[in-house]
Amino acid sequence: MGVVMIFFGQLIQRNALLRQAQHEVARLAVSEERARLARDLHDSLGHSLTVVAVKSELARKLVSRDPVRAEAEIADIERLAREGLADLRAAVAGYRDVDLEAELASARTALAAAGITAHLPDDAAVVRPELRALFGWVVREG
């Protein structure tokens, strides 16, 4: 009977340790998900807001010199803001993917707005399919 009680006591201790480990795993999973969301928001909003800021600055400079082009820049700012909002919603929903072609187009637009001539590929097909998401992140961060 004493041996059974010792084993029963050890079982209770191990179950308590198992519950503690499960709580720690759950806490770490929540922490990792928060970090993922923070990275996605930083990538998406940081990029979008940078492009909007550059294009806004350009539009302000163009208002008196070239109102037609300034209006086009303002329309582009509106589009970029809407895309940024859509990216934010997608990041929060957890369904945001990086598309190399979209990132190239966005980079081309941002660089052109800053007056920089970019030499970027016209088609993402030059990159192997399994590397397109990686290169998309590289272009976005660049």
Side-chain angles (χ1 to χ4, degrees):
M1 186 67 160
V3 173
V4 170
M5 292 304 287
I6 291 173
F7 284 126
F8 187 69
Q10 287 180 349
L11 179 66
I12 290 172
Q13 282 180 327
R14 293 191 194 274
N15 282 342
L17 290 173
L18 180 60
R19 272 193 299 279
Q20 286 176 345
Q22 288 171 335
H23 288 297
E24 182 65 14
V25 167
R27 188 187 67 74
L28 290 173
V30 168
S31 178
E32 181 60 31
E33 180 60 19
R34 285 181 182 152
R36 182 201 63 81
L37 180 60
R39 281 190 307 271
D40 285 353
L41 290 177
H42 172 267
D43 291 342
S44 177
L45 288 179
H47 174 73
S48 296
L49 291 175
T50 299
V51 174
V52 165
V54 169
K55 290 182 102 19
S56 297
E57 198 174 307
L58 176 63
R60 184 175 37 80
K61 290 176 183 177
L62 290 173
V63 164
S64 60
R65 288 186 289 171
D66 189 353
V68 174
R69 184 162 174 224
E71 186 176 333
E73 291 297 330
I74 291 169
D76 205 24
I77 291 167
E78 181 181 351
R79 179 190 59 78
L80 288 167
R82 290 183 193 283
E83 286 177 5
L85 183 57
D87 282 349
L88 171 63
R89 288 180 179 144
V92 171
Y95 297 112
R96 187 173 156 264
D97 290 328
V98 173
D99 178 50
L100 178 57
E101 287 190 27
E103 294 304 328
L104 286 170
S106 181
R108 196 174 287 112
T109 300
L111 292 170
I116 299 170
T117 303
H119 301 285
L120 300 171
D122 294 325
D123 187 10
V126 298
V127 178
R128 292 192 329 244
E130 67 271 15
L131 296 176
R132 288 185 189 152
L134 174 64
F135 278 86
W137 283 110
V138 170
V139 171
R140 174 173 279 195
E141 288 299 316

